Amino acid sequence: MVYADELLRVDPLSPLNLHFIGLYKLRLGRFAEMERILERIHSIDPKGVIYLWGASVLAVSRGDLVGAIRLLEDALTADPSDSEIPSRIAMHYFELGDVIAAKYWSEAALKIEPRMPWAKIVLALLQLDRHEEAEAVKIVREVTQPGALALGAQGAALRIVNAPNLSAGHYEEIITEYLTDYPELRGAKVPIAFSAETWEALIVTLDLASVYLQAGEEAKAESLLSAAESEIPHWPQAAATHFGFGFADVELHALRGNKAKALAALREGAANGTRWLWRLQLLYNPNLESIRDTPEFAAIVAEIEADMAEQVARVREMQSSGELTAIPGLAAE
């Protein structure tokens, strides 16, 4: 942000410059400032991909997945060659619980870019939803390989790939992989701004801490938990994509065995509109085993699901009116 004013002096009418500044505002939790920047971009290029993409990110930060999907469909019309756009649409549909639409848009993204990692994450999550863990691992294993196109998806992919190894007690194998991919973790440092963005950096830190706990290496686990604890307050919670900490605070307290704090953090995050990959964070997360069977956990998840159902109803209306793409085969669901 130190250079933001200088950037604007160089080119005050550049939508791209404004976009980057807006994303950093968002990463700092300054949603109102991000909105003002988007208004400036809109006044310069109201139908441009930069405005549409940024507005969709802000919409997700406020829990409005339907609004984000509408903006992203407009962005795809403007730039049909960008595979990240349909992969994001797929992700939002998965969060809504619309598995047919999620599969449709994931496959659309992979037709543009067969390596698109977030589309593969969604397809893997769809397999987990069907209890097909082996198939989910097969889909995303490529994302965890050296030199893979990752786009911030590696942390999510590692969580899926290593779930069977964790259940089997292959702790050393998992630890070696995390320390190889994120060497900052060797020094108990959250790899934000080094190997990963905020959300990814926190989940890999907490996942490795969880492995250490199960391997009986409590001191190493606590050093990572403490590192995550000191980092979380610096970032917003609900910011979309990789800019917020999501439900990392819930994982932190759950791994320490503090159920009351974990559930309080979960309720706060759900109320704040945190919806970015919420199903991966809450439903397919081994770090939450200590609270998963509690009535309050079930009640909060039910509240999120109710919100998703309301948003799906809006989606159906917009699909019927032509505002959103009608998905082939959806009527047969």
Side-chain angles (χ1 to χ4, degrees):
M1 294 310 302
V2 173
Y3 297 99
D5 289 341
E6 181 65 25
L7 188 62
L8 290 178
R9 279 195 293 269
V10 171
D11 190 350
L13 297 179
S14 166
L16 186 59
N17 288 355
L18 290 165
H19 174 70
F20 283 123
I21 292 170
L23 289 183
Y24 282 114
K25 296 286 189 182
L26 187 66
R27 192 170 181 180
L28 293 170
R30 301 175 184 175
F31 291 2
E33 292 180 45
M34 169 64 163
E35 187 168 18
R36 287 195 291 271
I37 288 173
L38 282 171
E39 289 172 357
R40 291 179 63 182
I41 296 174
H42 186 268
S43 69
I44 298 167
D45 187 10
K47 296 184 179 181
V49 173
I50 291 174
Y51 165 73
L52 295 166
W53 185 265
S56 75
V57 171
L58 183 61
V60 177
S61 299
R62 291 171 167 165
D64 181 9
L65 302 184
V66 181
I69 290 170
R70 179 181 58 78
L71 290 159
L72 287 168
E73 283 208 20
D74 289 345
L76 189 62
T77 299
D79 184 5
S81 66
D82 188 347
S83 61
E84 193 168 2
I85 297 173
S87 70
R88 285 288 174 84
I89 296 173
M91 191 180 306
H92 298 331
Y93 270 118
F94 179 74
E95 302 310 343
L96 290 173
D98 191 334
V99 297
I100 292 178
K103 184 174 184 290
Y104 172 86
W105 285 105
S106 293
E107 292 174 346
L110 291 171
K111 286 179 182 177
I112 301 170
E113 170 51 77
R115 299 175 301 157
M116 172 47 63
W118 284 113
K120 292 185 177 183
I121 294 293
V122 173
L123 289 177
L125 289 170
L126 290 171
Q127 293 298 324
L128 291 180
D129 192 54
R130 298 169 58 187
H131 306 289
E132 297 288 348
E133 187 177 68
E135 188 61 28
V137 170
K138 180 180 177 182
I139 290 170
V140 296
R141 188 178 296 281
E142 178 187 330
V143 181
T144 67
Q145 300 304 307
L149 180 66
L151 298 178
Q154 187 176 18
L158 282 171
R159 175 170 285 180
I160 295 169
V161 165
N162 282 317
N165 290 331
L166 193 62
S167 298
H170 298 159
Y171 306 130
E172 288 303 320
E173 181 180 336
I174 302 172
I175 291 168
T176 298
E177 185 169 21
Y178 274 96
L179 295 181
T180 299
D181 293 340
Y182 303 92
E184 301 86 359
L185 295 173
R186 293 182 182 274
K189 185 175 180 63
V190 179
I192 292 175
F194 293 92
S195 301
E197 294 281 9
T198 307
W199 182 79
E200 181 187 4
L202 285 166
I203 69 165
V204 300
T205 302
L206 292 166
D207 282 353
L208 181 56
S210 177
V211 177
Y212 278 136
L213 282 173
Q214 296 186 56
E217 299 189 51
E218 288 84 1
K220 289 183 178 179
E222 182 52 39
S223 67
L224 290 174
L225 292 175
S226 295
E229 183 177 35
S230 65
E231 193 68 53
I232 287 172
H234 296 293
W235 308 103
Q237 180 170 53
T241 67
H242 316 291
F243 303 137
F245 64 80
F247 292 106
D249 54 347
V250 181
E251 295 186 45
L252 172 71
H253 298 311
L255 287 171
R256 282 180 166 162
N258 194 325
K259 293 185 180 182
K261 283 188 175 182
L263 291 168
L266 175 59
R267 180 162 294 283
E268 181 179 3
N272 286 343
T274 303
R275 300 294 185 264
W276 168 258
L277 281 180
W278 75 269
R279 293 184 188 274
L280 174 64
Q281 294 185 78
L282 300 185
L283 305 185
Y284 308 109
N285 187 347
N287 300 338
L288 301 185
E289 289 306 310
S290 65
I291 62 171
R292 194 179 308 284
D293 293 333
T294 63
E296 187 169 0
F297 182 90
I300 296 170
V301 168
E303 289 174 10
I304 298 176
E305 289 283 19
D307 174 33
M308 298 296 94
E310 290 179 5
Q311 294 200 44
V312 167
R314 288 170 51 202
V315 165
R316 295 291 181 265
E317 293 176 1
M318 295 172 75
Q319 288 171 336
S320 297
S321 67
E323 294 178 78
L324 290 177
T325 299
I327 309 300
L330 192 59
E333 186 183 26

